[in-house]
């Protein structure tokens, strides 16, 4: 998940020097809020209010806890109290605007964001949330005017570029975002706000070394900021430099001993280094700080599981599932613990819950069948494994034949002669495919289709084999036949579109890719391959549009970043081209590395 701006609340802090009882309560409440313990935070603010009702931080922080609990009416009551104490509190106006936004009171939210920015024209969170609001209100011209006004009012300062960066970042245009932040840092190399935003952006786009350089500068400017060390540790973690992760997290903890996420990441690093006892200690500390956060329990439970300490792991997952009964990953681990501890019936109960939550997941039926087999309930095991078999999406895959082999070895008597014949032909097809005898694989599919003429998957697989032999027209026929039985299969639609491309039927290819996008707007391949057609037709703007969407849908899509770089080069946008080549290189593209050397002096 991106580490940049989200919907920001302001949290009020009080001096750590010579704290009174009320200040101790307020700051303790703040720590509880930061660690997601909202009820405890509210309780501490209540105690502080009884001692001194004149401290604005009480109401801002309690309001924020109500906000996180989605109790917006109580959140607003506390913000109003804060504004009575300080009618010029930019933070209170901003937070009230955000609360109005959550209630869909958009015009009121806009008024409050504007008021916050009048009071504090450097309030970055207010700019970010106002841009989001105006985007929702479909007022792009107002966003443009706001950015222009900030740049006019502060012509020699970085704030205008930083606000422009926020706009581009919200719209997932990370190359433009980085350009703006580079301008901001050029204006003032010691501007923590601009450096910090650039460091987070670089980390998001997998430029860990660039991010580390910015964090180094930030730490020189402000060595007592715990978050700078913690955020730098994320870059070292991605680079697998675990000792540096431990060092940075330890520094963050020295500066803020309730920094839950620093304990969690240090625990992850210790686990990766094989220092399991230290890892467990850090996870336990993180849990003590955030006793309601199921994800932290999950990390501890996995460590015990991987160390074969299944009883301890089971205890942890039981604690998680009391907090979050539908946590699927935790249920799967708990089922695994129970199986390892020979509680097969308990494991089956968990798999039944998982199947209710995710009824299309073949592996759940497969694992449940194995538990039934261990209980010697062979008939039920076979029925369940058959359910797994029909849910495996990709034939000629390892998963498919694991299930297939179990059925053939244990359940043949449960199937009709026709079904058994198809099973046996499938196994023969796999063996031939592994020998790369594709012509013979196709003949096996001919036999299977003769037995089961209404199977979408069989036509799809036969089309795939024909495509491997460049028999595109024949593949088109099979893909169309498959779609007769499964009209909304995005993989089949995309494969059909690709065959149209290979046979130079570009209009049909474009039409089919657009249909695939309607069926599944998150299938990145459709956008990528559609863009290649537009690029080939020299419609570079459309190619770039769809490639940008592909990278948004799949931030690890190496080819999409590389193709973006090529298309930006073709329209002489060298800076954006190099940005995308760099992202492709970070994902392992040798072609992008060569382009960086030849085109970017990098």
């Amino acid at each position: 998940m991106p580490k940049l701006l989200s919907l920001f609340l302001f949290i009020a802090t009080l001096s750590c020097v010579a704290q009174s009882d009320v200040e101790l309560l307020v700051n303790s409440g703040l720590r509880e809020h930061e660690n997601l313990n909202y009820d405890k935070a509210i309780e501490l603010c209540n105690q502080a209010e009884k001692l001194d009702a004149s401290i604005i931080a009480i109401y801002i922080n309690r309001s924020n806890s109500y906000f996180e609990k989605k109790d917006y009416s109580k959140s607003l009551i506390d913000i109003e109290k804060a504004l009575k104490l300080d009618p010029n509190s930019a933070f209170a106006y901003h937070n009230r605007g955000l609360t109005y936004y959550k209630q869909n009171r958009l015009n009121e939210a806009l008024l409050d964001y504007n008021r916050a920015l009048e009071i504090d024209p450097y309030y970055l969170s207010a700019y970010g949330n106002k841009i989001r609001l105006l985007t929702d209100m479909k007022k792009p011209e107002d966003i443009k005017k706001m950015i222009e006004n900030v740049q006019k009012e502060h012509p020699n300062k970085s704030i205008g570029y930083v606000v422009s960066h926020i706009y581009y970042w919200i719209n997932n245009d990370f190359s433009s975002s980085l350009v703006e932040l580079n301008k901001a840092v050029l204006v003032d190399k010691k501007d923590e706000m601009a450096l910090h935003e650039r460091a987070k952006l670089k980390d998001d786009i997998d430029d860990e070394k660039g991010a580390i350089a910015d964090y180094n500068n930030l730490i020189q400017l402000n060595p007592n900021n715990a978050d700078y060390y913690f955020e730098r540790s994320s870059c070292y973690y991605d680079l697998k430099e675990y000792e540096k992760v431990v060092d940075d997290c330890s520094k963050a903890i020295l500066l803020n001993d309730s920094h839950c996420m620093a304990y969690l990441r240090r625990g992850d690093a210790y686990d990766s280094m094989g220092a399991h006892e230290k890892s467990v200690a850090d996870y336990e500390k993180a849990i003590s700080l955030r006793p309601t956060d199921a994800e932290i329990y999950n990390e501890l439970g996995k460590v015990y599981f991987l160390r074969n300490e299944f009883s301890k792991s089971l205890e942890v997952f039981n604690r998680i599932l009391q907090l979050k009964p539908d946590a699927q990953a935790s249920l799967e681990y708990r089922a695994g613990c129970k199986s390892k501890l020979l509680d097969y019936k308990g494991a089956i109960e968990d798999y039944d819950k998982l199947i209710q939550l995710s009824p299309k997941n073949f592996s759940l039926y497969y694992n449940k069948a194995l538990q039934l087999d261990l209980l010697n309930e062979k008939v039920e095991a076979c029925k369940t494994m058959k359910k797994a078999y029909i849910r495996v999406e990709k034939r000629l895959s390892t998963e498919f034949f694991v299930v297939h082999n179990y059925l053939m070895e244990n359940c043949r008597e449960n199937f009709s002669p026709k079904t058994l014949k198809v099973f046996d032909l499938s196994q023969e097809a796999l063996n031939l495919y592994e020998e790369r005898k594709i012509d013979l694989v196709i003949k096996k599919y001919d036999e299977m289709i003769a037995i089961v003429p209404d199977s979408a998957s069989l036509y799809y697989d036969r089309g795939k084999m024909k495509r491997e032999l460049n028999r595109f027209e024949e593949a088109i026929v099979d893909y169309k036949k498959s779609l007769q039985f499964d009209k909304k299969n995005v993989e089949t639609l995309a494969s059909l579109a690709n065959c149209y491309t290979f046979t130079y039927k570009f209009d049909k290819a474009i039409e089919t890719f657009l249909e695939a996008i309607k069926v599944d707007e998150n299938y990145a391949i459709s956008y990528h391959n559609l863009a290649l057609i537009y690029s080939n037709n020299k419609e570079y703007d459309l190619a770039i549009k769809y490639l940008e969407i592909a990278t948004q849908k799949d931030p690890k899509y190496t080819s999409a970043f590389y193709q973006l770089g090529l298309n930006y080069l073709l329209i002489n946008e060298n800076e954006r081209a190099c940005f995308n080549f760099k992202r492709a290189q970070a994902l392992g593209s040798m072609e992008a590395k060569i382009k960086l050397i030849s085109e970017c002096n990098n």
Side-chain angles (χ1 to χ4, degrees):
M1 181 177 178
K3 304 171 187 68
L4 289 162
L5 296 167
S6 57
L7 294 175
F8 269 97
L9 285 165
F10 170 74
I11 307 292
T13 57
L14 296 174
S15 168
C16 292
V17 180
Q19 291 181 327
S20 66
D21 288 344
V22 69
E23 288 171 332
L24 284 168
L25 286 168
V26 172
N27 285 332
S28 296
L30 170 59
R31 285 193 293 274
E32 296 296 342
H33 177 94
E34 289 174 337
N35 285 324
L36 316 184
N37 306 320
Y38 303 123
D39 289 333
K40 182 66 175 175
I42 290 167
E43 179 188 334
L44 290 165
C45 286
N46 292 343
Q47 293 176 32
E49 185 183 22
K50 289 176 183 177
L51 295 175
D52 186 345
S54 67
I55 296 177
I56 189 172
I58 294 171
Y59 305 105
I60 289 178
N61 292 346
R62 189 169 64 188
S63 168
N64 292 344
S65 292
Y66 282 128
F67 178 93
E68 297 294 349
K69 286 167 61 69
K70 297 182 172 56
D71 191 341
Y72 300 126
S73 58
K74 287 184 179 178
S75 179
L76 284 172
I77 289 169
D78 272 338
I79 295 173
E80 297 294 348
K81 290 179 180 178
L83 283 168
K84 282 181 181 177
L85 289 170
D86 183 0
N88 291 311
S89 170
F91 309 120
Y93 280 110
H94 168 264
N95 287 11
R96 189 172 70 176
L98 185 50
T99 308
Y100 284 149
Y101 174 82
K102 285 292 189 179
Q103 294 180 315
N104 206 34
R105 296 161 66 177
L106 304 187
N107 289 319
E108 292 167 278
L110 183 58
L111 288 172
D112 272 353
Y113 291 149
N114 287 338
R115 181 66 179 134
L117 289 167
E118 285 172 13
I119 297 167
D120 182 0
Y122 291 89
Y123 195 171
L124 203 57
S125 302
Y127 284 116
N129 288 326
K130 182 180 175 181
I131 290 169
R132 278 200 178 88
L133 174 61
L134 291 172
T135 301
D136 288 350
M137 296 173 79
K138 299 186 176 2
K139 294 185 176 182
E141 289 303 314
D142 287 0
I143 297 173
K144 185 178 177 182
K145 286 178 186 175
M146 181 188 77
I147 294 170
E148 288 174 353
N149 288 337
V150 175
Q151 291 175 341
K152 285 178 185 176
E153 291 167 11
H154 307 276
N156 299 314
K157 294 185 178 178
S158 64
I159 183 66
Y161 297 117
V162 175
V163 173
S164 183
H165 133 73
I166 295 170
Y167 166 72
Y168 286 122
W169 180 81
I170 287 172
N171 287 281
N172 297 304
D173 185 352
F174 300 133
S175 58
S176 295
S177 184
L178 185 59
V179 167
E180 295 303 299
L181 287 173
N182 287 340
K183 293 175 185 175
V185 174
L186 277 175
V187 169
D188 184 356
K189 293 180 180 178
K190 294 185 178 181
D191 185 333
E192 281 190 56
M193 178 175 64
L195 271 171
H196 193 201
E197 290 300 311
R198 190 172 73 172
K200 291 185 288 183
L201 175 61
K202 287 178 177 179
D203 190 12
D204 276 345
I205 62 175
D206 302 317
D207 180 13
E208 286 86 4
K209 291 181 179 178
I212 288 167
D214 280 344
Y215 281 120
N216 291 344
N217 289 333
L218 285 164
I219 287 166
Q220 280 189 333
L221 292 168
N222 186 354
N224 294 318
N225 188 315
D227 285 336
Y228 292 164
Y229 294 100
F230 172 70
E231 290 168 13
R232 187 173 67 178
S233 76
S234 168
C235 304
Y236 286 128
Y237 192 88
D238 290 341
L239 294 170
K240 296 182 171 54
E241 296 185 33
Y242 299 121
E243 290 183 0
K244 290 181 179 178
V245 175
V246 169
D247 185 52
D248 268 353
C249 288
S250 298
K251 288 173 181 173
I253 289 164
L254 277 173
L255 292 165
N256 177 5
D257 63 2
S258 65
H259 201 311
C260 172
M261 299 308 292
Y263 287 106
L264 182 59
R265 182 168 294 149
R266 191 173 70 177
D268 288 342
Y270 279 136
D271 186 39
S272 298
M273 295 164 68
H276 299 301
E277 294 301 326
K278 289 181 178 179
S279 174
V280 167
D282 272 346
Y283 289 144
E284 290 285 10
K285 178 63 177 178
I287 287 170
S288 74
L289 292 166
R290 287 192 185 177
T292 61
D293 190 340
E295 292 305 314
I296 302 175
Y297 289 94
N298 217 37
E299 294 301 315
L300 177 59
K302 285 192 286 187
V303 169
Y304 282 132
F305 188 91
L306 294 171
R307 291 171 60 186
N308 298 324
E309 297 184 46
F310 301 117
S311 295
K312 288 183 178 179
S313 184
L314 179 62
E315 180 186 340
V316 174
F317 286 115
N318 283 335
R319 288 156 70 188
I320 298 173
L321 291 161
Q322 285 178 346
L323 295 170
K324 198 174 178 182
D326 292 342
Q328 293 191 43
S330 303
L331 274 168
E332 285 198 60
Y333 267 106
R334 188 172 73 175
C337 290
K338 289 177 178 178
S339 181
K340 294 290 186 180
L341 293 167
L342 311 184
D343 178 12
Y344 305 127
K345 288 184 178 180
I348 289 167
E349 288 174 3
D350 280 343
Y351 284 121
D352 283 336
K353 291 177 186 175
L354 284 159
I355 287 167
Q356 285 184 334
L357 294 168
S358 187
K360 293 182 179 181
N361 187 337
F362 93 92
S363 68
L364 302 177
Y365 297 91
Y366 173 77
N367 286 318
K368 178 184 173 182
L370 294 183
Q371 306 308 307
L372 289 164
D373 186 82
L374 289 165
L375 286 170
N376 207 31
E377 295 184 20
K378 300 295 184 183
V379 174
E380 286 302 314
C382 287
K383 286 181 182 177
T384 305
M385 194 63 78
K386 188 175 180 181
K387 291 177 182 178
Y389 178 84
I390 62 176
R391 285 169 173 80
V392 181
E393 291 185 1
K394 293 183 179 180
R395 290 352 193 195
L396 296 180
S397 65
T398 302
E399 294 84 0
F400 179 83
F401 284 100
V402 166
V403 178
H404 172 274
N405 290 339
Y406 179 92
L407 290 170
M408 290 302 94
E409 290 173 12
N410 300 283
C411 310
R412 292 184 70 91
E413 67 276 9
N414 294 346
F415 296 97
S416 69
K418 282 186 177 181
T419 303
L420 288 172
K421 181 62 176 174
V422 172
F423 280 167
D424 291 338
L425 287 168
S426 296
Q427 184 64 58
E428 291 171 26
L430 174 63
N431 295 336
L432 291 167
Y433 185 75
E434 289 175 346
E435 296 172 13
R436 305 305 299 162
K437 296 178 180 178
I438 306 299
D439 277 322
L440 295 177
V441 173
I442 291 171
K443 288 183 179 179
K444 295 298 176 185
Y445 274 106
D446 292 343
E447 293 182 58
M448 284 187 270
I449 287 170
I451 298 168
V452 188
D454 58 352
S455 169
S457 64
L458 290 177
Y459 285 108
Y460 173 80
D461 287 340
R462 188 172 71 177
K464 185 177 177 183
M465 295 301 103
K466 290 174 179 178
R467 182 177 157 190
E468 286 197 26
L469 294 177
N470 296 329
R471 290 158 56 178
F472 299 118
E473 294 289 358
E474 294 178 49
I476 286 170
V477 173
D478 272 345
Y479 288 139
K480 283 184 174 180
K481 192 71 176 177
S482 178
L483 288 166
Q484 288 180 17
F485 302 110
D486 187 1
K487 295 177 182 178
K488 300 295 184 181
N489 190 306
V490 69
E491 288 188 24
T492 308
L493 283 165
S495 297
L496 175 60
N498 285 332
C499 286
Y500 283 138
T501 303
F502 295 137
T503 53
Y504 305 104
K505 299 169 184 173
F506 297 121
D507 289 343
K508 284 188 175 181
I510 291 170
E511 180 185 339
T512 308
F513 277 128
L514 291 173
E515 187 180 347
I517 288 167
K518 284 182 183 177
V519 167
D520 185 352
E521 64 179 16
N522 293 314
Y523 191 61
I525 291 171
S526 300
Y527 300 98
H528 174 275
N529 291 358
L530 176 58
L532 296 184
I533 297 173
Y534 285 125
S535 181
N536 185 64
N537 292 340
K538 298 184 179 179
E539 297 178 73
Y540 303 123
D541 288 344
L542 280 171
I544 287 167
K545 170 188 170 182
Y546 284 107
L547 286 167
E548 292 281 12
I549 297 172
T551 62
Q552 292 163 25
K553 301 298 182 182
D554 181 0
K556 301 294 184 184
Y557 202 157
T558 308
S559 178
F561 287 113
Y562 177 68
Q563 292 294 334
L564 262 176
L566 292 179
N567 279 274
Y568 275 125
L569 269 187
L570 289 167
I571 60 172
N572 298 315
E573 292 256 6
N574 283 38
E575 191 167 3
R576 292 189 180 193
C578 294
F579 171 89
N580 283 288
F581 287 140
K582 194 166 188 178
R583 293 202 74 180
Q585 182 202 23
L587 293 167
S589 170
M590 183 56 65
E591 295 93 341
K593 184 175 183 180
I594 293 167
K595 283 290 182 184
L596 279 169
I597 294 168
S598 63
E599 304 289 344
C600 307
N601 298 317
N602 201 336

